[in-house]
Amino acid sequence: AMLVRGIKLNDPLSRRFDSGGTGDCGADGTCATCVVSIAQGGHLMSPPGLQEQQILVKNPRWRMACKTIIGYGAQEGKMVVKVNPRQW
């Protein structure tokens, strides 16, 4: 997942999806504080799971960094990822 590679993507200003509080869920995929917007290269990522689809239904270009694998299926290419999409 994107978070495993040492890049901190959690939005410090984001409210948790599951409880409305602060802090992250430890990569359980329930809080959505690590969402990123995929501007280019969405085909290079693993497909979203059902829980991720349900949480992000209003933002189909957003993905949870804790649940997304880049290079899925050994694909390579260019990606453009925008961090903290709630802030712009």
PDB file of all heavy atoms in Angstrom, residues 32-74:
ATOM      1  N   ALA A  32     -10.646   6.995   6.481  1.00  0.00           N
ATOM      2  CA  ALA A  32     -10.517   7.793   5.259  1.00  0.00           C
ATOM      3  C   ALA A  32      -9.688   9.058   5.457  1.00  0.00           C
ATOM      4  O   ALA A  32      -9.841  10.017   4.711  1.00  0.00           O
ATOM      5  CB  ALA A  32     -11.876   8.120   4.655  1.00  0.00           C
ATOM      6  N   THR A  33      -8.795   9.096   6.436  1.00  0.00           N
ATOM      7  CA  THR A  33      -7.923  10.256   6.596  1.00  0.00           C
ATOM      8  C   THR A  33      -6.738  10.209   5.632  1.00  0.00           C
ATOM      9  O   THR A  33      -6.036  11.202   5.490  1.00  0.00           O
ATOM     10  CB  THR A  33      -7.388  10.380   8.036  1.00  0.00           C
ATOM     11  OG1 THR A  33      -6.632   9.218   8.371  1.00  0.00           O
ATOM     12  CG2 THR A  33      -8.527  10.568   9.029  1.00  0.00           C
ATOM     13  N   CYS A  34      -6.525   9.094   4.972  1.00  0.00           N
ATOM     14  CA  CYS A  34      -5.389   8.953   4.058  1.00  0.00           C
ATOM     15  C   CYS A  34      -5.801   9.059   2.594  1.00  0.00           C
ATOM     16  O   CYS A  34      -5.035   8.688   1.712  1.00  0.00           O
ATOM     17  CB  CYS A  34      -4.680   7.626   4.299  1.00  0.00           C
ATOM     18  SG  CYS A  34      -5.664   6.167   3.867  1.00  0.00           S
ATOM     19  N   VAL A  35      -6.996   9.573   2.323  1.00  0.00           N
ATOM     20  CA  VAL A  35      -7.442   9.626   0.928  1.00  0.00           C
ATOM     21  C   VAL A  35      -6.564  10.542   0.091  1.00  0.00           C
ATOM     22  O   VAL A  35      -6.065  11.566   0.564  1.00  0.00           O
ATOM     23  CB  VAL A  35      -8.925  10.057   0.782  1.00  0.00           C
ATOM     24  CG1 VAL A  35      -9.849   9.038   1.371  1.00  0.00           C
ATOM     25  CG2 VAL A  35      -9.175  11.425   1.319  1.00  0.00           C
ATOM     26  N   VAL A  36      -6.359  10.124  -1.139  1.00  0.00           N
ATOM     27  CA  VAL A  36      -5.628  10.905  -2.132  1.00  0.00           C
ATOM     28  C   VAL A  36      -6.485  10.938  -3.392  1.00  0.00           C
ATOM     29  O   VAL A  36      -7.316  10.072  -3.612  1.00  0.00           O
ATOM     30  CB  VAL A  36      -4.238  10.295  -2.438  1.00  0.00           C
ATOM     31  CG1 VAL A  36      -3.334  10.365  -1.224  1.00  0.00           C
ATOM     32  CG2 VAL A  36      -4.352   8.869  -2.928  1.00  0.00           C
ATOM     33  N   SER A  37      -6.271  11.959  -4.197  1.00  0.00           N
ATOM     34  CA  SER A  37      -6.980  12.071  -5.465  1.00  0.00           C
ATOM     35  C   SER A  37      -6.052  11.599  -6.577  1.00  0.00           C
ATOM     36  O   SER A  37      -4.903  12.025  -6.647  1.00  0.00           O
ATOM     37  CB  SER A  37      -7.398  13.526  -5.710  1.00  0.00           C
ATOM     38  OG  SER A  37      -8.009  13.645  -6.976  1.00  0.00           O
ATOM     39  N   ILE A  38      -6.542  10.730  -7.432  1.00  0.00           N
ATOM     40  CA  ILE A  38      -5.753  10.198  -8.530  1.00  0.00           C
ATOM     41  C   ILE A  38      -6.090  10.986  -9.791  1.00  0.00           C
ATOM     42  O   ILE A  38      -7.167  10.841 -10.359  1.00  0.00           O
ATOM     43  CB  ILE A  38      -6.024   8.694  -8.735  1.00  0.00           C
ATOM     44  CG1 ILE A  38      -5.887   7.936  -7.421  1.00  0.00           C
ATOM     45  CG2 ILE A  38      -5.126   8.133  -9.823  1.00  0.00           C
ATOM     46  CD1 ILE A  38      -4.530   8.071  -6.739  1.00  0.00           C
ATOM     47  N   ALA A  39      -5.157  11.852 -10.194  1.00  0.00           N
ATOM     48  CA  ALA A  39      -5.371  12.693 -11.373  1.00  0.00           C
ATOM     49  C   ALA A  39      -4.995  11.963 -12.657  1.00  0.00           C
ATOM     50  O   ALA A  39      -5.538  12.251 -13.722  1.00  0.00           O
ATOM     51  CB  ALA A  39      -4.568  13.980 -11.242  1.00  0.00           C
ATOM     52  N   GLN A  40      -4.063  11.022 -12.569  1.00  0.00           N
ATOM     53  CA  GLN A  40      -3.606  10.279 -13.752  1.00  0.00           C
ATOM     54  C   GLN A  40      -3.038   8.948 -13.298  1.00  0.00           C
ATOM     55  O   GLN A  40      -2.371   8.867 -12.269  1.00  0.00           O
ATOM     56  CB  GLN A  40      -2.528  11.083 -14.472  1.00  0.00           C
ATOM     57  CG  GLN A  40      -1.997  10.441 -15.717  1.00  0.00           C
ATOM     58  CD  GLN A  40      -0.922  11.300 -16.389  1.00  0.00           C
ATOM     59  OE1 GLN A  40      -0.758  12.476 -16.096  1.00  0.00           O
ATOM     60  NE2 GLN A  40      -0.183  10.705 -17.294  1.00  0.00           N
ATOM     61  N   GLY A  41      -3.286   7.904 -14.047  1.00  0.00           N
ATOM     62  CA  GLY A  41      -2.696   6.596 -13.784  1.00  0.00           C
ATOM     63  C   GLY A  41      -3.521   5.686 -12.909  1.00  0.00           C
ATOM     64  O   GLY A  41      -2.996   4.741 -12.330  1.00  0.00           O
ATOM     65  N   GLY A  42      -4.806   5.923 -12.815  1.00  0.00           N
ATOM     66  CA  GLY A  42      -5.662   5.081 -11.990  1.00  0.00           C
ATOM     67  C   GLY A  42      -5.640   3.611 -12.384  1.00  0.00           C
ATOM     68  O   GLY A  42      -5.856   2.739 -11.547  1.00  0.00           O
ATOM     69  N   HIS A  43      -5.358   3.342 -13.627  1.00  0.00           N
ATOM     70  CA  HIS A  43      -5.311   1.957 -14.109  1.00  0.00           C
ATOM     71  C   HIS A  43      -4.112   1.184 -13.539  1.00  0.00           C
ATOM     72  O   HIS A  43      -4.056  -0.038 -13.648  1.00  0.00           O
ATOM     73  CB  HIS A  43      -5.270   1.935 -15.639  1.00  0.00           C
ATOM     74  CG  HIS A  43      -4.026   2.531 -16.222  1.00  0.00           C
ATOM     75  ND1 HIS A  43      -3.822   3.902 -16.259  1.00  0.00           N
ATOM     76  CD2 HIS A  43      -2.920   1.943 -16.749  1.00  0.00           C
ATOM     77  CE1 HIS A  43      -2.636   4.127 -16.804  1.00  0.00           C
ATOM     78  NE2 HIS A  43      -2.074   2.961 -17.112  1.00  0.00           N
ATOM     79  N   LEU A  44      -3.164   1.878 -12.932  1.00  0.00           N
ATOM     80  CA  LEU A  44      -1.971   1.233 -12.389  1.00  0.00           C
ATOM     81  C   LEU A  44      -2.178   0.729 -10.959  1.00  0.00           C
ATOM     82  O   LEU A  44      -1.277   0.141 -10.377  1.00  0.00           O
ATOM     83  CB  LEU A  44      -0.789   2.210 -12.402  1.00  0.00           C
ATOM     84  CG  LEU A  44      -0.401   2.755 -13.771  1.00  0.00           C
ATOM     85  CD1 LEU A  44       0.623   3.862 -13.621  1.00  0.00           C
ATOM     86  CD2 LEU A  44       0.132   1.634 -14.644  1.00  0.00           C
ATOM     87  N   MET A  45      -3.355   0.964 -10.403  1.00  0.00           N
ATOM     88  CA  MET A  45      -3.606   0.614  -9.012  1.00  0.00           C
ATOM     89  C   MET A  45      -4.506  -0.604  -8.879  1.00  0.00           C
ATOM     90  O   MET A  45      -5.258  -0.936  -9.791  1.00  0.00           O
ATOM     91  CB  MET A  45      -4.262   1.795  -8.302  1.00  0.00           C
ATOM     92  CG  MET A  45      -3.395   3.023  -8.284  1.00  0.00           C
ATOM     93  SD  MET A  45      -4.180   4.396  -7.459  1.00  0.00           S
ATOM     94  CE  MET A  45      -5.644   4.592  -8.416  1.00  0.00           C
ATOM     95  N   SER A  46      -4.418  -1.218  -7.717  1.00  0.00           N
ATOM     96  CA  SER A  46      -5.304  -2.336  -7.414  1.00  0.00           C
ATOM     97  C   SER A  46      -6.750  -1.839  -7.397  1.00  0.00           C
ATOM     98  O   SER A  46      -7.003  -0.673  -7.088  1.00  0.00           O
ATOM     99  CB  SER A  46      -4.941  -2.922  -6.048  1.00  0.00           C
ATOM    100  OG  SER A  46      -5.024  -1.927  -5.037  1.00  0.00           O
ATOM    101  N   PRO A  47      -7.691  -2.704  -7.741  1.00  0.00           N
ATOM    102  CA  PRO A  47      -9.092  -2.278  -7.707  1.00  0.00           C
ATOM    103  C   PRO A  47      -9.525  -1.990  -6.267  1.00  0.00           C
ATOM    104  O   PRO A  47      -9.057  -2.647  -5.342  1.00  0.00           O
ATOM    105  CB  PRO A  47      -9.858  -3.471  -8.281  1.00  0.00           C
ATOM    106  CG  PRO A  47      -8.887  -4.552  -8.504  1.00  0.00           C
ATOM    107  CD  PRO A  47      -7.521  -4.057  -8.203  1.00  0.00           C
ATOM    108  N   PRO A  48     -10.414  -1.017  -6.077  1.00  0.00           N
ATOM    109  CA  PRO A  48     -10.869  -0.723  -4.719  1.00  0.00           C
ATOM    110  C   PRO A  48     -11.738  -1.851  -4.173  1.00  0.00           C
ATOM    111  O   PRO A  48     -12.500  -2.474  -4.914  1.00  0.00           O
ATOM    112  CB  PRO A  48     -11.679   0.561  -4.883  1.00  0.00           C
ATOM    113  CG  PRO A  48     -12.087   0.597  -6.304  1.00  0.00           C
ATOM    114  CD  PRO A  48     -11.011  -0.139  -7.064  1.00  0.00           C
ATOM    115  N   GLY A  49     -11.597  -2.085  -2.881  1.00  0.00           N
ATOM    116  CA  GLY A  49     -12.441  -3.074  -2.223  1.00  0.00           C
ATOM    117  C   GLY A  49     -13.831  -2.511  -1.981  1.00  0.00           C
ATOM    118  O   GLY A  49     -14.082  -1.309  -2.139  1.00  0.00           O
ATOM    119  N   LEU A  50     -14.748  -3.361  -1.576  1.00  0.00           N
ATOM    120  CA  LEU A  50     -16.137  -2.956  -1.361  1.00  0.00           C
ATOM    121  C   LEU A  50     -16.246  -1.859  -0.304  1.00  0.00           C
ATOM    122  O   LEU A  50     -16.967  -0.870  -0.492  1.00  0.00           O
ATOM    123  CB  LEU A  50     -16.981  -4.165  -0.962  1.00  0.00           C
ATOM    124  CG  LEU A  50     -18.462  -3.895  -0.726  1.00  0.00           C
ATOM    125  CD1 LEU A  50     -19.118  -3.327  -1.980  1.00  0.00           C
ATOM    126  CD2 LEU A  50     -19.165  -5.158  -0.287  1.00  0.00           C
ATOM    127  N   GLN A  51     -15.531  -2.006   0.803  1.00  0.00           N
ATOM    128  CA  GLN A  51     -15.596  -1.002   1.865  1.00  0.00           C
ATOM    129  C   GLN A  51     -15.104   0.353   1.372  1.00  0.00           C
ATOM    130  O   GLN A  51     -15.720   1.382   1.634  1.00  0.00           O
ATOM    131  CB  GLN A  51     -14.757  -1.465   3.052  1.00  0.00           C
ATOM    132  CG  GLN A  51     -14.766  -0.499   4.213  1.00  0.00           C
ATOM    133  CD  GLN A  51     -14.032  -1.074   5.411  1.00  0.00           C
ATOM    134  OE1 GLN A  51     -14.085  -2.262   5.670  1.00  0.00           O
ATOM    135  NE2 GLN A  51     -13.362  -0.220   6.147  1.00  0.00           N
ATOM    136  N   GLU A  52     -13.999   0.362   0.635  1.00  0.00           N
ATOM    137  CA  GLU A  52     -13.466   1.607   0.086  1.00  0.00           C
ATOM    138  C   GLU A  52     -14.457   2.235  -0.892  1.00  0.00           C
ATOM    139  O   GLU A  52     -14.681   3.444  -0.880  1.00  0.00           O
ATOM    140  CB  GLU A  52     -12.129   1.340  -0.603  1.00  0.00           C
ATOM    141  CG  GLU A  52     -11.457   2.582  -1.131  1.00  0.00           C
ATOM    142  CD  GLU A  52     -10.122   2.309  -1.799  1.00  0.00           C
ATOM    143  OE1 GLU A  52      -9.728   1.123  -1.949  1.00  0.00           O
ATOM    144  OE2 GLU A  52      -9.470   3.286  -2.186  1.00  0.00           O
ATOM    145  N   GLN A  53     -15.083   1.426  -1.725  1.00  0.00           N
ATOM    146  CA  GLN A  53     -16.077   1.933  -2.673  1.00  0.00           C
ATOM    147  C   GLN A  53     -17.247   2.585  -1.946  1.00  0.00           C
ATOM    148  O   GLN A  53     -17.729   3.641  -2.353  1.00  0.00           O
ATOM    149  CB  GLN A  53     -16.600   0.799  -3.551  1.00  0.00           C
ATOM    150  CG  GLN A  53     -15.618   0.291  -4.558  1.00  0.00           C
ATOM    151  CD  GLN A  53     -16.178  -0.897  -5.327  1.00  0.00           C
ATOM    152  OE1 GLN A  53     -17.340  -1.262  -5.210  1.00  0.00           O
ATOM    153  NE2 GLN A  53     -15.333  -1.523  -6.124  1.00  0.00           N
ATOM    154  N   GLN A  54     -17.698   1.960  -0.873  1.00  0.00           N
ATOM    155  CA  GLN A  54     -18.844   2.491  -0.134  1.00  0.00           C
ATOM    156  C   GLN A  54     -18.505   3.809   0.551  1.00  0.00           C
ATOM    157  O   GLN A  54     -19.309   4.739   0.549  1.00  0.00           O
ATOM    158  CB  GLN A  54     -19.326   1.473   0.891  1.00  0.00           C
ATOM    159  CG  GLN A  54     -19.960   0.259   0.254  1.00  0.00           C
ATOM    160  CD  GLN A  54     -20.259  -0.841   1.250  1.00  0.00           C
ATOM    161  OE1 GLN A  54     -19.680  -0.905   2.329  1.00  0.00           O
ATOM    162  NE2 GLN A  54     -21.174  -1.722   0.884  1.00  0.00           N
ATOM    163  N   ILE A  55     -17.317   3.908   1.133  1.00  0.00           N
ATOM    164  CA  ILE A  55     -16.912   5.115   1.846  1.00  0.00           C
ATOM    165  C   ILE A  55     -16.692   6.277   0.882  1.00  0.00           C
ATOM    166  O   ILE A  55     -17.057   7.417   1.164  1.00  0.00           O
ATOM    167  CB  ILE A  55     -15.655   4.850   2.697  1.00  0.00           C
ATOM    168  CG1 ILE A  55     -16.007   3.916   3.863  1.00  0.00           C
ATOM    169  CG2 ILE A  55     -15.046   6.152   3.211  1.00  0.00           C
ATOM    170  CD1 ILE A  55     -14.809   3.439   4.662  1.00  0.00           C
ATOM    171  N   LEU A  56     -16.107   5.991  -0.276  1.00  0.00           N
ATOM    172  CA  LEU A  56     -15.739   7.047  -1.222  1.00  0.00           C
ATOM    173  C   LEU A  56     -16.691   7.145  -2.416  1.00  0.00           C
ATOM    174  O   LEU A  56     -16.313   7.634  -3.472  1.00  0.00           O
ATOM    175  CB  LEU A  56     -14.307   6.819  -1.703  1.00  0.00           C
ATOM    176  CG  LEU A  56     -13.242   6.804  -0.610  1.00  0.00           C
ATOM    177  CD1 LEU A  56     -11.873   6.489  -1.189  1.00  0.00           C
ATOM    178  CD2 LEU A  56     -13.225   8.118   0.145  1.00  0.00           C
ATOM    179  N   VAL A  57     -17.916   6.709  -2.254  1.00  0.00           N
ATOM    180  CA  VAL A  57     -18.881   6.662  -3.360  1.00  0.00           C
ATOM    181  C   VAL A  57     -19.080   8.031  -4.016  1.00  0.00           C
ATOM    182  O   VAL A  57     -19.288   8.113  -5.231  1.00  0.00           O
ATOM    183  CB  VAL A  57     -20.228   6.057  -2.890  1.00  0.00           C
ATOM    184  CG1 VAL A  57     -20.946   6.980  -1.925  1.00  0.00           C
ATOM    185  CG2 VAL A  57     -21.111   5.730  -4.085  1.00  0.00           C
ATOM    186  N   LYS A  58     -18.989   9.119  -3.272  1.00  0.00           N
ATOM    187  CA  LYS A  58     -19.198  10.457  -3.843  1.00  0.00           C
ATOM    188  C   LYS A  58     -17.949  11.023  -4.508  1.00  0.00           C
ATOM    189  O   LYS A  58     -18.013  12.078  -5.136  1.00  0.00           O
ATOM    190  CB  LYS A  58     -19.667  11.420  -2.751  1.00  0.00           C
ATOM    191  CG  LYS A  58     -21.045  11.076  -2.221  1.00  0.00           C
ATOM    192  CD  LYS A  58     -21.483  12.061  -1.175  1.00  0.00           C
ATOM    193  CE  LYS A  58     -22.855  11.683  -0.645  1.00  0.00           C
ATOM    194  NZ  LYS A  58     -23.307  12.592   0.410  1.00  0.00           N
ATOM    195  N   ASN A  59     -16.823  10.345  -4.359  1.00  0.00           N
ATOM    196  CA  ASN A  59     -15.554  10.819  -4.922  1.00  0.00           C
ATOM    197  C   ASN A  59     -14.836   9.666  -5.625  1.00  0.00           C
ATOM    198  O   ASN A  59     -13.876   9.112  -5.098  1.00  0.00           O
ATOM    199  CB  ASN A  59     -14.671  11.390  -3.801  1.00  0.00           C
ATOM    200  CG  ASN A  59     -15.335  12.550  -3.105  1.00  0.00           C
ATOM    201  OD1 ASN A  59     -15.535  13.591  -3.692  1.00  0.00           O
ATOM    202  ND2 ASN A  59     -15.696  12.356  -1.852  1.00  0.00           N
ATOM    203  N   PRO A  60     -15.267   9.291  -6.819  1.00  0.00           N
ATOM    204  CA  PRO A  60     -14.714   8.106  -7.486  1.00  0.00           C
ATOM    205  C   PRO A  60     -13.235   8.203  -7.850  1.00  0.00           C
ATOM    206  O   PRO A  60     -12.599   7.181  -8.062  1.00  0.00           O
ATOM    207  CB  PRO A  60     -15.586   7.958  -8.735  1.00  0.00           C
ATOM    208  CG  PRO A  60     -16.176   9.305  -8.962  1.00  0.00           C
ATOM    209  CD  PRO A  60     -16.299   9.942  -7.604  1.00  0.00           C
ATOM    210  N   ARG A  61     -12.659   9.406  -7.897  1.00  0.00           N
ATOM    211  CA  ARG A  61     -11.230   9.545  -8.209  1.00  0.00           C
ATOM    212  C   ARG A  61     -10.365   9.471  -6.958  1.00  0.00           C
ATOM    213  O   ARG A  61      -9.147   9.524  -7.036  1.00  0.00           O
ATOM    214  CB  ARG A  61     -10.972  10.843  -8.951  1.00  0.00           C
ATOM    215  CG  ARG A  61     -11.601  10.862 -10.342  1.00  0.00           C
ATOM    216  CD  ARG A  61     -11.313  12.159 -11.046  1.00  0.00           C
ATOM    217  NE  ARG A  61      -9.911  12.289 -11.345  1.00  0.00           N
ATOM    218  CZ  ARG A  61      -9.376  12.152 -12.547  1.00  0.00           C
ATOM    219  NH1 ARG A  61     -10.144  11.889 -13.567  1.00  0.00           N
ATOM    220  NH2 ARG A  61      -8.096  12.305 -12.729  1.00  0.00           N
ATOM    221  N   TRP A  62     -10.978   9.394  -5.793  1.00  0.00           N
ATOM    222  CA  TRP A  62     -10.230   9.303  -4.549  1.00  0.00           C
ATOM    223  C   TRP A  62      -9.970   7.830  -4.225  1.00  0.00           C
ATOM    224  O   TRP A  62     -10.766   6.961  -4.546  1.00  0.00           O
ATOM    225  CB  TRP A  62     -11.004   9.925  -3.408  1.00  0.00           C
ATOM    226  CG  TRP A  62     -11.104  11.409  -3.445  1.00  0.00           C
ATOM    227  CD1 TRP A  62     -10.771  12.250  -4.473  1.00  0.00           C
ATOM    228  CD2 TRP A  62     -11.595  12.245  -2.402  1.00  0.00           C
ATOM    229  NE1 TRP A  62     -11.023  13.556  -4.126  1.00  0.00           N
ATOM    230  CE2 TRP A  62     -11.531  13.583  -2.864  1.00  0.00           C
ATOM    231  CE3 TRP A  62     -12.085  12.005  -1.133  1.00  0.00           C
ATOM    232  CZ2 TRP A  62     -11.937  14.657  -2.079  1.00  0.00           C
ATOM    233  CZ3 TRP A  62     -12.492  13.079  -0.357  1.00  0.00           C
ATOM    234  CH2 TRP A  62     -12.409  14.387  -0.823  1.00  0.00           C
ATOM    235  N   ARG A  63      -8.841   7.600  -3.600  1.00  0.00           N
ATOM    236  CA  ARG A  63      -8.486   6.259  -3.134  1.00  0.00           C
ATOM    237  C   ARG A  63      -7.903   6.360  -1.731  1.00  0.00           C
ATOM    238  O   ARG A  63      -7.319   7.370  -1.358  1.00  0.00           O
ATOM    239  CB  ARG A  63      -7.430   5.620  -4.050  1.00  0.00           C
ATOM    240  CG  ARG A  63      -7.895   5.300  -5.446  1.00  0.00           C
ATOM    241  CD  ARG A  63      -9.013   4.255  -5.509  1.00  0.00           C
ATOM    242  NE  ARG A  63      -8.707   3.034  -4.812  1.00  0.00           N
ATOM    243  CZ  ARG A  63      -8.098   1.968  -5.351  1.00  0.00           C
ATOM    244  NH1 ARG A  63      -7.758   1.991  -6.627  1.00  0.00           N
ATOM    245  NH2 ARG A  63      -7.862   0.892  -4.637  1.00  0.00           N
ATOM    246  N   MET A  64      -8.051   5.306  -0.955  1.00  0.00           N
ATOM    247  CA  MET A  64      -7.433   5.232   0.362  1.00  0.00           C
ATOM    248  C   MET A  64      -6.005   4.730   0.187  1.00  0.00           C
ATOM    249  O   MET A  64      -5.782   3.637  -0.332  1.00  0.00           O
ATOM    250  CB  MET A  64      -8.214   4.294   1.275  1.00  0.00           C
ATOM    251  CG  MET A  64      -9.531   4.821   1.706  1.00  0.00           C
ATOM    252  SD  MET A  64     -10.237   3.700   2.913  1.00  0.00           S
ATOM    253  CE  MET A  64     -11.852   4.397   3.070  1.00  0.00           C
ATOM    254  N   ALA A  65      -5.067   5.542   0.610  1.00  0.00           N
ATOM    255  CA  ALA A  65      -3.660   5.176   0.445  1.00  0.00           C
ATOM    256  C   ALA A  65      -3.314   3.903   1.204  1.00  0.00           C
ATOM    257  O   ALA A  65      -2.469   3.124   0.766  1.00  0.00           O
ATOM    258  CB  ALA A  65      -2.766   6.327   0.902  1.00  0.00           C
ATOM    259  N   CYS A  66      -3.983   3.658   2.314  1.00  0.00           N
ATOM    260  CA  CYS A  66      -3.655   2.476   3.124  1.00  0.00           C
ATOM    261  C   CYS A  66      -4.110   1.177   2.476  1.00  0.00           C
ATOM    262  O   CYS A  66      -3.659   0.102   2.863  1.00  0.00           O
ATOM    263  CB  CYS A  66      -4.245   2.606   4.526  1.00  0.00           C
ATOM    264  SG  CYS A  66      -6.052   2.489   4.608  1.00  0.00           S
ATOM    265  N   LYS A  67      -5.002   1.250   1.507  1.00  0.00           N
ATOM    266  CA  LYS A  67      -5.551   0.043   0.883  1.00  0.00           C
ATOM    267  C   LYS A  67      -5.203  -0.090  -0.594  1.00  0.00           C
ATOM    268  O   LYS A  67      -5.629  -1.039  -1.245  1.00  0.00           O
ATOM    269  CB  LYS A  67      -7.076   0.023   1.031  1.00  0.00           C
ATOM    270  CG  LYS A  67      -7.534  -0.077   2.467  1.00  0.00           C
ATOM    271  CD  LYS A  67      -7.080  -1.399   3.053  1.00  0.00           C
ATOM    272  CE  LYS A  67      -7.467  -1.542   4.500  1.00  0.00           C
ATOM    273  NZ  LYS A  67      -6.829  -2.706   5.110  1.00  0.00           N
ATOM    274  N   THR A  68      -4.432   0.840  -1.144  1.00  0.00           N
ATOM    275  CA  THR A  68      -4.153   0.857  -2.577  1.00  0.00           C
ATOM    276  C   THR A  68      -2.744   0.375  -2.868  1.00  0.00           C
ATOM    277  O   THR A  68      -1.787   0.816  -2.242  1.00  0.00           O
ATOM    278  CB  THR A  68      -4.322   2.289  -3.123  1.00  0.00           C
ATOM    279  OG1 THR A  68      -5.629   2.743  -2.796  1.00  0.00           O
ATOM    280  CG2 THR A  68      -4.138   2.323  -4.620  1.00  0.00           C
ATOM    281  N   ILE A  69      -2.620  -0.528  -3.805  1.00  0.00           N
ATOM    282  CA  ILE A  69      -1.314  -1.028  -4.248  1.00  0.00           C
ATOM    283  C   ILE A  69      -1.033  -0.455  -5.625  1.00  0.00           C
ATOM    284  O   ILE A  69      -1.840  -0.599  -6.552  1.00  0.00           O
ATOM    285  CB  ILE A  69      -1.286  -2.565  -4.282  1.00  0.00           C
ATOM    286  CG1 ILE A  69      -1.513  -3.105  -2.871  1.00  0.00           C
ATOM    287  CG2 ILE A  69       0.025  -3.067  -4.883  1.00  0.00           C
ATOM    288  CD1 ILE A  69      -1.696  -4.595  -2.812  1.00  0.00           C
ATOM    289  N   ILE A  70       0.114   0.211  -5.743  1.00  0.00           N
ATOM    290  CA  ILE A  70       0.531   0.774  -7.033  1.00  0.00           C
ATOM    291  C   ILE A  70       1.374  -0.260  -7.767  1.00  0.00           C
ATOM    292  O   ILE A  70       2.178  -0.954  -7.171  1.00  0.00           O
ATOM    293  CB  ILE A  70       1.343   2.064  -6.825  1.00  0.00           C
ATOM    294  CG1 ILE A  70       0.455   3.104  -6.148  1.00  0.00           C
ATOM    295  CG2 ILE A  70       1.872   2.600  -8.136  1.00  0.00           C
ATOM    296  CD1 ILE A  70       1.182   4.355  -5.753  1.00  0.00           C
ATOM    297  N   GLY A  71       1.197  -0.335  -9.065  1.00  0.00           N
ATOM    298  CA  GLY A  71       1.919  -1.328  -9.852  1.00  0.00           C
ATOM    299  C   GLY A  71       1.198  -2.663  -9.854  1.00  0.00           C
ATOM    300  O   GLY A  71       1.783  -3.706 -10.090  1.00  0.00           O
ATOM    301  N   TYR A  72      -0.087  -2.623  -9.602  1.00  0.00           N
ATOM    302  CA  TYR A  72      -0.914  -3.826  -9.545  1.00  0.00           C
ATOM    303  C   TYR A  72      -0.811  -4.599 -10.859  1.00  0.00           C
ATOM    304  O   TYR A  72      -0.901  -4.007 -11.936  1.00  0.00           O
ATOM    305  CB  TYR A  72      -2.364  -3.432  -9.265  1.00  0.00           C
ATOM    306  CG  TYR A  72      -3.309  -4.578  -9.091  1.00  0.00           C
ATOM    307  CD1 TYR A  72      -3.298  -5.331  -7.934  1.00  0.00           C
ATOM    308  CD2 TYR A  72      -4.204  -4.913 -10.087  1.00  0.00           C
ATOM    309  CE1 TYR A  72      -4.174  -6.387  -7.766  1.00  0.00           C
ATOM    310  CE2 TYR A  72      -5.095  -5.961  -9.933  1.00  0.00           C
ATOM    311  CZ  TYR A  72      -5.073  -6.695  -8.774  1.00  0.00           C
ATOM    312  OH  TYR A  72      -5.937  -7.744  -8.609  1.00  0.00           O
ATOM    313  N   GLY A  73      -0.593  -5.875 -10.776  1.00  0.00           N
ATOM    314  CA  GLY A  73      -0.455  -6.698 -11.978  1.00  0.00           C
ATOM    315  C   GLY A  73       0.831  -6.431 -12.735  1.00  0.00           C
ATOM    316  O   GLY A  73       0.904  -6.651 -13.925  1.00  0.00           O
ATOM    317  N   ALA A  74       1.857  -5.942 -12.030  1.00  0.00           N
ATOM    318  CA  ALA A  74       3.179  -5.648 -12.607  1.00  0.00           C
ATOM    319  C   ALA A  74       3.113  -4.588 -13.704  1.00  0.00           C
ATOM    320  O   ALA A  74       3.933  -4.576 -14.609  1.00  0.00           O
ATOM    321  CB  ALA A  74       3.839  -6.931 -13.110  1.00  0.00           C
TER     322      ALA A  74
END
